Amino acid sequence: MTNAKITNIRPDFALITNWVQTKAKVLDLGCGDGTLLTHLHETLETTGYGIEKDDANWLAALKNGVDVIQMNLEEGLSGFEDQSFDTVILSQTLQAMHNTESIVQEMLRVGREVIVTFPNFGYWRNRMQITFGTMPVSKSLPYQWYDTPNVHLCTINDFDDFCVQHQIQVIERKVITGGQDVHLLPNLMGNLAMYRLRKYSA
Amino acid sequence: MSESNSVGIVKAQVAHFTQPLTLKSGAVLPQYHLTYETYGELNAAKTNAVLICHALSGNHHVAGRYSADDKYPGWWDNLIGPGKPLDTNKFFVIGLNNLGGCHGSSGPSSVDPLTDKPYSATFPVVTVEDWVESQARLLDYLGIDQLAAVIGGSLGGMQALHWNIVYPERVRHAFVIASAPNLTAQNMAFNEVARQAIITDPEFFDGDYYNHGTVPRRGLRIARMLGHITYLSDDVMGEKFGRKLRHGDVKYSFDVEFEMESYLRYQGDKFAGEFDANTYLRMTRALDYFDPALDYEGNLSKALSRAQAKFVVISFTTDWRFSPARSREIVKALLDNALPVKYAEVTSDHGHDAFLMPDPYYHDIMRAYLEQIKV
């Protein structure tokens, strides 16, 4: 991989890399063209698989040398054994899932750790647009209300509550806007939410 | 006629084996021969060989034509040739007719050198395991230690899979296409009906029809008609024929009324004229018996624990005879062993037959993966 490619990597990918162990076995759900897995492999010598539904993305992932499984995440991860991966990643796909609750449970079943990232609907710019009477359209939510694949948008507060309700331990949470960490009023000031999760051990 | 990306005019070859082959059934073939074809050149290091395993009615004639005016090319010609997804400028491709076949290799219709008569019904029942063993011997004969890839669809996919169980060190990449780790009861049921059609044909004579000067054409024809229904999807039959009438209006008869009937009869007749009934019985039995997990407490993951190849598993959405769910079982076993695997579920209307068709996405996958293989 060229250096240019590394520097051009999505900011959340660079942060995800910090949450993955060297030589970890990784499962990337909705892996797209496999950029993240390739990056993880080249920086951390990880192994693992990607899951991708779309033909063009699947083929692009194959060309990137990724072991990619073509399947629909909505059907769960029944082909994967319990706790068979170190880290299971779902980056910016949660909001487009129909079976949101079950995919998070499935990820926690298959992975010892789970990384989830999603656009924060509570970000002030989104709130502003709603205040002025329109659905939010932005760089992180680039769709119109009538053509959006996003069916389960949530705020950081919503997801925190979700984790409490589902006995999910938040190991780390990071909120970023324009590539910068947000510490003050994250649910208002944060554009992208990133969670590192695991099941609460009994 | 000259096709720019065809392997061109090809010729079958025959390899004779005198070392006895003990079959899974316990029967022994004291000697046998295998008919095969090759395309492309074997490189000096012998690292570019690709074995094509055929399905139920396939054979060694995978690509090219026997003469310039040969009407049809080999059965997987759309995949194989210079510049095609399986590029013969890079790979040395081997196709063979499996034991028990009727296209040149030792089988029921070939002459038993011990008696100078066709083996007839005495030719033993052969299995996927027996085929892989005979294929390994063919590789020995050709001086090839390790395959760059083994590729098979349907029953051929079972052979490709089995290679990794018995000769894991001899396979670098394995393509298991439109296949299954074993047949379901429903799938075996179709085979049983096909066999019954043949066995109950009065011209069958317990498989000894060669010596009675007959051919159990009727049985073979029905077997093939049944097969064809199961290789197509409801949708594709609907698109192709729907309820179209052959003669514009109904005749209130049992002759061909609907286009679909005409198609099935044509396919049945064509097949009955060129295939051997005893071979058909054996091929369907090989399908039925294949169940590699059986020796491993029913655990396919254990069966594949010695595998070391990189895998490509492909299924087709409307294939109900070898459904995507069955391919996913193979994928799961590979995942359980942390083996490299790429699994594609190709959207196609063409049912089981899709694996022989030049679907753009399917062929893009084959091309992109095969290009990555280093030889």
Side-chain angles (χ1 to χ4, degrees):
Chain A
M1 189 190 284
T2 63
N3 285 328
K5 209 166 167 186
I6 292 173
T7 49
N8 285 339
I9 203 157
R10 257 167 52 183
D12 58 327
F13 284 2
L15 292 167
I16 286 169
T17 309
N18 296 332
W19 286 350
V20 176
Q21 305 286 319
T22 303
K23 295 190 175 170
K25 191 176 168 197
V26 177
L27 181 63
D28 185 10
L29 310 185
C31 69
D33 66 3
T35 302
L36 175 60
L37 279 170
T38 309
H39 177 67
L40 290 172
H41 174 69
E42 287 176 1
T43 52
L44 299 170
E45 297 173 63
T46 58
T47 58
Y49 305 88
I51 294 180
E52 180 54 49
K53 182 175 68 172
D54 177 74
D55 290 357
N57 281 339
W58 191 96
L59 194 60
L62 177 144
K63 288 177 179 173
N64 280 326
V66 170
D67 280 322
V68 56
I69 310 294
Q70 189 163 30
M71 57 180 262
N72 185 354
L73 291 177
E74 301 287 0
E75 290 162 17
L77 301 174
S78 61
F80 297 86
E81 288 290 327
D82 295 0
Q83 303 293 292
S84 55
F85 287 83
D86 297 310
T87 303
V88 181
I89 301 168
L90 185 69
S91 65
Q92 305 211 38
T93 306
L94 186 73
Q95 74 281 359
M97 296 283 304
H98 286 261
N99 300 315
T100 316
E101 199 174 359
S102 66
I103 194 64
V104 175
Q105 303 284 21
E106 276 286 82
M107 290 171 77
L108 290 160
R109 176 183 69 76
V110 169
R112 284 177 275 280
E113 284 190 17
V114 162
I115 296 171
V116 172
T117 77
F118 58 86
N120 173 31
F121 204 69
Y123 183 44
W124 69 272
R125 284 181 187 275
N126 297 336
R127 298 192 198 195
M128 285 293 280
Q129 291 189 51
I130 298 270
T131 305
F132 287 107
T134 60
M135 285 297 282
V137 179
S138 64
K139 218 170 162 184
S140 55
L141 295 170
Y143 302 99
Q144 296 294 332
W145 63 272
Y146 51 82
D147 65 4
T148 181
N150 298 330
V151 289
H152 282 144
L153 288 159
C154 70
T155 70
I156 289 171
N157 287 357
D158 290 331
F159 196 77
D160 283 343
D161 289 347
F162 175 88
C163 291
V164 171
Q165 286 157 9
H166 292 80
Q167 282 91 48
I168 299 167
Q169 183 189 352
V170 178
I171 308 167
E172 274 185 81
R173 188 188 75 183
K174 223 169 177 41
V175 178
I176 54 174
T177 301
Q180 302 296 312
D181 282 13
V182 175
H183 299 287
L184 184 71
L185 300 172
N187 195 35
L188 187 65
M189 304 306 289
N191 189 12
L192 180 72
M194 304 180 57
Y195 285 77
R196 183 177 175 192
L197 310 167
R198 69 175 165 228
K199 271 186 193 164
Y200 263 119
S201 42
Chain B
M1 182 172 51
S2 151
E3 296 158 289
S4 61
N5 55 355
S6 166
V7 297
I9 306 298
V10 297
K11 205 167 167 257
Q13 301 173 76
V14 182
H16 292 272
F17 298 87
T18 50
Q19 185 197 347
L21 180 66
T22 303
L23 304 173
K24 199 180 181 200
S25 66
V28 177
L29 280 175
Q31 53 185 312
Y32 57 94
H33 59 274
L34 294 173
T35 296
Y36 67 99
E37 285 177 15
T38 67
Y39 323 109
E41 299 289 329
L42 185 61
N43 64 13
K46 301 185 177 182
T47 54
N48 68 336
V50 174
L51 177 69
I52 306 291
C53 302
H54 72 73
L56 186 64
S57 59
N59 55 45
H60 55 281
H61 185 39
V62 189
R65 293 168 200 265
Y66 289 135
S67 65
D69 50 8
D70 199 354
K71 196 171 168 196
Y72 298 107
W75 56 270
W76 220 349
D77 191 78
N78 61 33
L79 186 79
I80 301 162
K84 286 184 182 173
L86 178 48
D87 191 342
T88 48
N89 289 327
K90 175 178 178 181
F91 293 107
F92 175 67
V93 180
I94 307 157
L96 83 159
N97 187 209
N98 279 324
L99 279 177
C102 54
H103 292 94
S105 291
S106 295
S109 54
S110 72
V111 172
D112 181 351
L114 298 180
T115 63
D116 273 338
K117 285 182 181 165
Y119 282 97
S120 195
T122 68
F123 195 88
V125 169
V126 281
T127 63
V128 167
E129 290 86 339
D130 301 330
W131 288 336
V132 170
E133 189 56 38
S134 64
Q135 290 161 7
R137 290 189 183 183
L138 180 63
L139 293 193
D140 295 342
Y141 170 87
L142 296 170
I144 297 162
D145 287 337
Q146 191 187 52
L147 291 165
V150 58
I151 302 179
S154 190
L155 177 57
M158 291 173 166
Q159 295 155 54
L161 189 65
H162 197 72
W163 262 96
N164 296 280
I165 295 171
V166 284
Y167 290 113
E169 70 289 348
R170 298 190 77 170
V171 184
R172 287 197 284 134
H173 301 269
F175 290 72
V176 182
I177 304 169
S179 195
N182 61 21
L183 291 195
T184 59
Q186 185 198 44
N187 205 331
M188 289 192 288
F190 288 121
N191 286 344
E192 174 58 6
V193 174
R195 281 191 301 268
Q196 283 299 314
I198 292 168
I199 290 167
T200 58
D201 186 319
E203 314 269 78
F204 183 64
F205 293 105
D206 292 327
D208 197 30
Y209 44 89
Y210 320 97
N211 292 318
H212 287 79
T214 61
V215 176
R217 214 169 237 290
R218 203 182 326 173
L220 200 49
R221 186 169 173 263
I222 293 168
R224 187 57 170 179
M225 288 166 83
L226 174 70
H228 256 282
I229 300 167
T230 70
Y231 304 148
L232 299 175
S233 68
D234 192 14
D235 282 351
V236 83
M237 278 186 105
E239 268 168 43
K240 220 168 164 174
F241 312 110
R243 296 184 51 80
K244 262 184 279 179
L245 291 163
R246 188 88 180 101
H247 307 289
D249 55 359
V250 296
K251 304 281 186 209
Y252 300 97
S253 81
F254 298 106
D255 277 342
V256 169
E257 289 274 42
F258 295 96
E259 285 286 4
M260 167 273 301
E261 296 167 359
S262 165
Y263 169 81
L264 285 180
R265 289 185 192 198
Y266 170 76
Q267 291 293 342
D269 286 337
K270 187 167 150 243
F271 191 71
E274 61 195 29
F275 208 81
D276 179 64
N278 277 321
T279 289
Y280 202 86
L281 298 182
R282 279 155 185 78
M283 295 287 166
T284 55
R285 262 305 184 221
L287 272 166
D288 295 352
Y289 287 142
F290 183 67
D291 191 3
L294 208 58
D295 293 335
Y296 299 85
E297 298 136 24
N299 187 329
L300 186 66
S301 304
K302 278 189 188 166
L304 283 161
S305 64
R306 288 177 58 228
Q308 40 185 265
K310 295 185 162 98
F311 286 80
V312 178
V313 180
I314 300 175
S315 70
F316 299 88
T317 49
T318 53
D319 184 351
W320 55 279
R321 199 147 176 198
F322 292 80
S323 71
R326 303 309 318 277
S327 282
R328 285 198 293 264
E329 288 178 40
I330 296 170
V331 172
K332 182 180 185 305
L334 299 171
L335 289 172
D336 287 347
N337 285 298
L339 286 161
V341 53
K342 291 162 172 69
Y343 170 62
E345 216 163 278
V346 176
T347 302
S348 165
D349 289 339
H350 289 96
H352 188 53
D353 272 350
F355 89 88
L356 294 168
M357 303 206 170
D359 175 273
Y361 176 50
Y362 169 40
H363 273 201
D364 282 349
I365 294 167
M366 298 299 286
R367 181 185 294 278
Y369 189 90
L370 286 160
E371 274 177 2
Q372 288 177 355
I373 295 179
K374 292 190 180 75
V375 296

